[in-house]
Structures are given as structure tokens and as C-alpha cells.
Amino acid sequence: MFAGAIDVPIYPTLTPAQVRYILKDSGARVLILANEKKFLQIREALSECPAVGATGIFEKTPGGTAPE
């Protein structure tokens, strides 16, 4: 909050298309996900969200493919 950031919740039940719409409409620049499974589900949708410059994942799968 002190940095001027605004959180935009994305529920785990949303489809990749719905996530893409929210990210593009909100102008999100950073995405923080609970786990790599969700990242893999929305990875393709993220490719259409050029404003998202950084992605963080709390729980990574050992040997997974998520970005560092």
C-alpha cells in the first residue's frame, strides 16, 4: 500500500479467458500466484497481457517450468 499498489483479486475458479480480461482491463503489471499449477493453467492467457512484467509464485513444483 505504501508503494501505491492496488490489489486486484483473481479467484482460483476463474477461467484463463476471465483472468486475461481482468489483467488487461486493470493494467496489472505484477502477478503473484499461490502455486505453479495455477500459473500453468493461465500461462497462455498471460502471453496476451504485455503489461504484466513480473510473475511471482509462492509454491513451486520441484523441477517445474514456472519463471524464476
Side-chain angles (χ1 to χ4, degrees), residues 40-64:
L40 295 173
Q41 291 172 350
I42 65 168
R43 179 175 39 191
E44 188 174 320
L46 285 176
S47 67
E48 298 176 35
C49 302
V52 177
T55 303
I57 299 172
F58 284 111
E59 293 180 23
K60 293 187 180 184
T61 304

Side-chain angles (χ1 to χ4, degrees), residues 1 5 11-12 17-18 23-25 28 40-41 52 56 60 68:
M1 291 187 138
Y11 299 100
Q18 291 170 317
L23 292 175
K24 289 177 83 173
D25 188 58
L40 295 173
Q41 291 172 350
V52 177
K60 293 187 180 184
E68 295 293 324

Side-chain angles (χ1 to χ4, degrees), residues 19-44:
V19 171
R20 180 181 58 240
Y21 175 82
I22 291 170
L23 292 175
K24 289 177 83 173
D25 188 58
S26 68
R29 298 190 310 178
V30 176
L31 179 64
I32 300 174
L33 300 162
N35 56 52
E36 188 176 17
K37 180 180 176 183
K38 190 61 181 177
F39 170 78
L40 295 173
Q41 291 172 350
I42 65 168
R43 179 175 39 191
E44 188 174 320

